[in-house]
């Protein structure tokens, strides 16, 4: 989506749309996504930037009222400033939006850490992501790649093409190489072909989204892959490709949740069915236990030595062959006979229960297999939502949608304290994952001096601490999920996540705090709060 040639056309279209407009505000409605609201004449619209490394994108979209709760505002000092320029760096994926004050927003649309910087006199004065680390540092400068005149004859076709033009969209080159048999070309022919391919990008664009989900500027003459969508403008196709990628990610996440549950239920049902199919053995055991009881009762008048573990007698069911019967009770022979009669009764009851349950469990196993097959074939989020509604009763029966299942499907427990989300680790490995995923401004808590779960209060990039009542309630959760659960009150330490570090080579869940505060709180079960 953010190939340099795509940005050439996006830059032109965005410039036409927003230049002479006025910056209103910028918010982050979702993680790694920034919405910049621009007003021009009587129209307000959004410039959307995704800093997700897998879905990096920049495009303008129609106005949509912003979320009013739980959002963080960015670059407030730009409010009301007029946009004077929009510019793409020479041969690099950097776009700047200039303002009348001389400052500009610099969009970095490459690497594993895309970002937006507020820049003044080549120094970063603010940033969308990691502002504390970046403020005061030098702004990124364009770095043009090395264009070679000659092709290395021993390199692969893809490498030869990117030597001539390193700005080509590399994700699409394998398809182009296969279609045009570039591997069979001589180095000189590869050079000529690459130059013609570049000319098509610059002077004959055909914006489209391929069936693969990729954005493309080549016509089918150059890349013969069917289109999911054809557009008159690059911006429209970039927006479509981005939204489609987000849609597929959300679909995958939702599908994985239900498929993981159904796979687990399928395995449990199969194991149970195999156990129930062994019910005949319960009947055989019942016959054996009853036989032991009869044989022992036939000798009930006899006595056994104290502490005897077994009794050898003649088996009148088997031509008086000797049989050794374990004695399970310390009492006399009659008491042991009664023990085996009870065992026989229980074994027969188990057999009857198995016969009664087996058809039901087999039907449910078949139902789970059918649901799994249907779920795997769903390829649209809205179809999945409809499917979940249509099968809500069956899925609920198998545990989908229950609080317990939601907690199982997540690497950590999640709860709400007012508007704040609270994460609670499940085990040592989960504690590590939770602490690694937390933002540096989040609040980290743990019961002091005892083993227990890591707890994190999500702060949404806010630098302040949450209200004291929120900290106390989350601290109660930390006490409950620790070995201090049985105490009336327990000490719980808390600090910002940026003061929590994991020593190299330390065991799972082990951390060191650079500073901390402590509160005495009663353990609180969040499920009952």
């Amino acid at each position: 989506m953010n190939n340099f040639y795509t940005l050439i056309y996006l830059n032109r279209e965005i410039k036409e749309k927003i230049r002479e407009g006025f910056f209103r505000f910028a918010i982050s409605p979702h993680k790694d996504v920034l919405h910049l609201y621009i007003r021009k004449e009587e129209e307000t619209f959004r410039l959307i930037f995704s800093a997700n490394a897998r879905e990096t994108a920049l495009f303008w979209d129609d106005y949509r009222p912003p979320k009013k709760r739980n959002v963080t505002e960015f670059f407030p000092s730009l409010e009301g400033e007029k946009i004077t320029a929009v510019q793409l760096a020479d041969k690099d994926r950097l776009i700047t939006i200039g303002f009348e004050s001389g400052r500009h927003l610099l969009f970095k649309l490459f690497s594993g850490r895309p970002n937006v910087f507020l820049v003044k006199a080549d120094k970063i004065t603010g940033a969308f992501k990691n502002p504390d680390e970046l403020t005061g540092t030098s702004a990124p400068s364009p770095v043009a790649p090395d264009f070679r005149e000659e092709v290395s004859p021993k390199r692969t076709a893809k490498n030869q093409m990117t030597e001539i033009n390193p700005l080509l969209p590399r994700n699409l080159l394998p398809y182009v190489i296969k279609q045009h048999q570039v591997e069979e070309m001589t180095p000189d022919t590869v050079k000529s072909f690459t130059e013609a391919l570049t000319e098509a990008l610059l002077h004959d664009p055909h914006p489209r989204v391929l069936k693969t989900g990729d954005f493309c500027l080549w016509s089918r003459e150059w890349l013969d892959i069917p289109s999911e969508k054809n557009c008159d403008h690059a911006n429209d196709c970039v927006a479509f490709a981005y939204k489609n990628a987000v849609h597929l990610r959300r679909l995958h996440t939702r599908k994985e949740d239900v498929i993981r549950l159904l796979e687990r239920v399928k395995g449990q049902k199969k194991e149970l069915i195999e156990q129930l199919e062994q019910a005949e053995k319960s009947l055989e055991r019942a016959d054996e236990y009853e036989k032991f009881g009869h044989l022992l009762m036939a000798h009930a008048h006899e006595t056994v030595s104290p502490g005897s573990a077994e009794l050898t007698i003649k088996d009148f069911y088997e031509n008086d062959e000797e049989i050794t019967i374990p004695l399970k009770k310390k009492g006399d022979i009659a008491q042991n006979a009664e023990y085996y009669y009870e065992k026989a009764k229980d074994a027969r009851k188990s057999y009857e229960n198995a016969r009664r349950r087996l058809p039901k469990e087999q039907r449910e196993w078949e139902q789970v297999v059918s649901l799994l097959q249907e779920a795997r074939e769903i390829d649209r989020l809205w179809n999945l939502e409809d499917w979940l509604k249509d099968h809500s009763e069956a899925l609920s029966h198998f545990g989908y949608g229950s609080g317990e299942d939601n907690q199982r499907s997540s690497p950590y427990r999640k709860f709400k304290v007012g508007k704040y989300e609270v994460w609670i680790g499940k085990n040592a490995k989960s504690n590590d994952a939770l602490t690694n995923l937390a933002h540096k401004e989040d609040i980290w808590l743990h019961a002091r001096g005892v083993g227990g779960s890591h707890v994190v209060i999500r702060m949404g990039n806010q630098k302040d601490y949450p209200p004291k009542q929120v900290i106390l309630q989350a601290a109660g959760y930390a006490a409950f999920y620790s070995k201090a659960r049985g105490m009336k009150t327990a000490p719980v330490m808390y600090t910002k996540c940026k003061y929590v570090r994991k020593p190299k080579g330390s065991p799972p869940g082990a951390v060191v705090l650079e500073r901390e505060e402590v509160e005495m709180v009663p353990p609180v079960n969040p499920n009952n709060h």
Side-chain angles (χ1 to χ4, degrees), residues 55-112:
E55 299 159 358
T56 309
L58 177 67
F59 59 94
W60 68 263
D61 205 358
D62 293 330
Y63 175 79
R64 180 180 296 173
K67 290 176 63 176
K68 296 182 179 179
R69 297 181 60 188
N70 300 331
V71 294
T72 303
E73 189 170 346
F74 293 85
F75 314 123
S77 64
L78 289 176
E79 182 179 353
E81 284 220 23
K82 187 176 182 179
I83 297 170
T84 57
V86 180
Q87 185 174 359
L88 173 66
D90 182 31
K91 297 182 178 60
D92 203 354
R93 288 171 290 172
L94 294 168
I95 286 183
T96 59
I97 297 179
F99 296 90
E100 57 187 350
S101 65
R103 295 180 295 172
H104 62 267
L105 287 174
L106 176 61
F107 293 80
K108 177 184 173 185
L109 293 117
F110 60 91
S111 83

Side-chain angles (χ1 to χ4, degrees), residues 308-355:
S308 296
E310 58 187 29
L311 178 67
T312 301
I313 54 180
K314 291 182 179 180
D315 183 356
F316 48 74
Y317 292 101
E318 299 291 341
N319 299 318
D320 286 342
E321 292 182 7
E322 285 193 341
I323 183 172
T324 298
I325 301 174
L327 298 178
K328 299 294 185 179
K329 297 289 185 180
K330 292 183 179 179
D332 56 25
I333 293 177
Q335 289 173 317
N336 275 277
E338 187 62 31
Y339 166 80
Y340 280 112
Y341 286 141
E342 286 296 323
K343 291 284 287 182
K345 181 180 176 181
D346 290 343
R348 285 200 174 88
K349 188 182 293 184
S350 176
Y351 170 73
E352 293 299 330
N353 286 339
R355 286 186 59 190

Side-chain angles (χ1 to χ4, degrees), residues 172 175-176 178-179 206-231 237 240-241 244 380:
L172 299 179
Y175 304 113
V176 173
K178 182 177 180 181
Q179 177 179 330
H206 292 259
R208 60 195 181 107
V209 179
L210 308 180
K211 288 290 186 181
T212 60
D214 297 298
F215 176 84
C216 177
L217 286 168
W218 284 308
S219 68
R220 291 191 68 165
E221 175 188 353
W222 292 104
L223 184 54
D224 193 16
I225 295 178
S227 301
E228 181 77 20
K229 183 177 180 66
N230 293 289
C231 305
C237 270
F240 179 86
N244 191 52
R380 289 290 183 268

